[in-house]
Amino acid sequence: MNIFRLAGDMTHLLSIIVLLLKIHTIKSCAGISLKTQELYALVFVTRYLDIFTSYISFYNTIMKLIFLGSAFSIVWYMRFHKVVKQTYDKHQDTFRHYYLALGCLALALVINHKFTVREVLWTFSIYLEAVAILPQLVLLQRTKNVDNLTGNYVFLLGAYRGLYLLNWIVRYFTEKHYRQWITWISGIVQTALYADFFYYYVISWKKQSETSTSSLIIHSSKI
């Protein structure tokens, strides 16, 4: 465990809190892709199969339970909550996410560390997490209207991946024989997918700041 790994975990957790806050408090999932949330639920299920058979640490177990529970809670809200599900825009969220899942499964069957059920499913989860954000990014591009909570959620997810890249760099130089090519390449691909969003997120943030500043100056001049 190093500072970048811990910061990455906390940023990932914060992204989920932001999303749940939006859904539970505002009772709205507008701008959120159910397809992406279902893919994340599948990622956590296939990655954390060892949760009841292998004990690493209390921290590790708690984080796994949180990610599993939150992933299924979000999917439940969007599919079954009588108020929240009415705010879901299924006509815009049409990305065929099962193609991503099938493609990642096929790749995991071919490229893996060891050809066992658990190892293949773990590798599948790594590949799938790399591209799970695609339906969300496509939805944001289609709607052209990103509220603050949704934007912050996606930004925090991207920041989490960036921090994990730094974690891998630290581990590479401090741990002997540390080589995780599948994880590294998938993480780089995932981080790259956020690049376009980051650019427009920063531009939007700057515009909002300028607008707020202008409003303040105009208001002050009237006083």
Side-chain angles (χ1 to χ4, degrees):
M1 177 71 73
N2 59 63
I3 188 62
F4 295 113
R5 163 72 186 278
L6 181 60
D9 287 346
M10 293 302 103
T11 304
H12 193 185
L13 181 60
L14 184 58
S15 71
I16 293 173
I17 292 173
V18 167
L19 182 55
L20 283 172
L21 181 67
K22 170 188 172 76
I23 294 176
H24 181 72
T25 304
I26 307 176
K27 294 295 186 294
S28 171
C29 64
I32 301 299
S33 169
L34 174 60
K35 306 298 179 62
T36 283
Q37 298 308 315
E38 289 177 337
L39 290 178
Y40 277 134
L42 184 57
V43 165
F44 295 138
V45 166
T46 52
R47 184 173 302 173
Y48 299 149
L49 288 174
D50 64 340
I51 191 170
F52 298 113
T53 59
S54 301
Y55 179 80
I56 298 175
S57 68
F58 178 76
Y59 171 84
N60 184 273
T61 300
I62 289 298
M63 292 300 285
K64 287 179 179 180
L65 289 173
I66 289 174
F67 288 133
L68 281 168
S70 59
F72 282 98
S73 295
I74 292 168
V75 171
W76 180 86
Y77 263 112
M78 295 183 70
R79 279 195 171 276
F80 303 110
H81 192 280
K82 61 181 180 180
V83 177
V84 176
K85 70 178 182 179
Q86 295 178 11
T87 65
Y88 169 56
D89 190 355
K90 64 180 179 180
H91 300 294
Q92 295 286 353
D93 189 25
T94 58
F95 195 103
R96 296 179 179 179
H97 61 324
Y98 47 85
Y99 284 150
L100 292 177
L102 291 174
C104 289
L105 179 59
L107 186 60
L109 289 169
V110 176
I111 304 176
N112 53 70
H113 293 301
K114 186 188 298 183
F115 195 74
T116 62
V117 173
R118 180 176 293 182
E119 189 66 28
V120 167
L121 289 177
W122 179 87
T123 306
F124 163 73
S125 76
I126 296 296
Y127 293 149
L128 187 59
E129 186 182 12
V131 296
I133 196 63
L134 276 173
Q136 180 65 66
L137 295 178
V138 170
L139 177 61
L140 294 180
Q141 187 179 43
R142 286 177 178 174
T143 57
K144 305 292 184 182
N145 184 21
V146 185
D147 63 75
N148 287 334
L149 288 176
T150 303
N152 291 338
Y153 162 69
V154 179
F155 178 83
L156 288 168
L157 278 179
Y160 139 69
R161 295 313 307 177
L163 288 166
Y164 255 67
L165 289 181
L166 295 175
N167 160 60
W168 296 331
I169 292 172
V170 169
R171 293 187 64 185
Y172 177 79
F173 287 107
T174 58
E175 298 180 20
K176 290 184 177 181
H177 312 298
Y178 175 66
R179 300 291 186 276
Q180 294 287 341
W181 292 107
I182 289 176
T183 303
W184 293 348
I185 294 173
S186 298
I188 291 171
V189 169
Q190 184 178 2
T191 305
L193 290 176
Y194 288 93
D196 184 64
F197 171 82
F198 281 162
Y199 173 77
Y200 287 106
Y201 180 89
V202 171
I203 295 298
S204 175
W205 180 80
K206 285 184 177 179
K207 287 182 178 179
Q208 288 181 2
S209 297
E210 290 172 359
T211 301
S212 299
T213 303
S214 299
S215 299
L216 180 61
I217 291 174
I218 292 172
H219 179 69
S220 298
S221 65
K222 288 182 180 180
I223 298 175

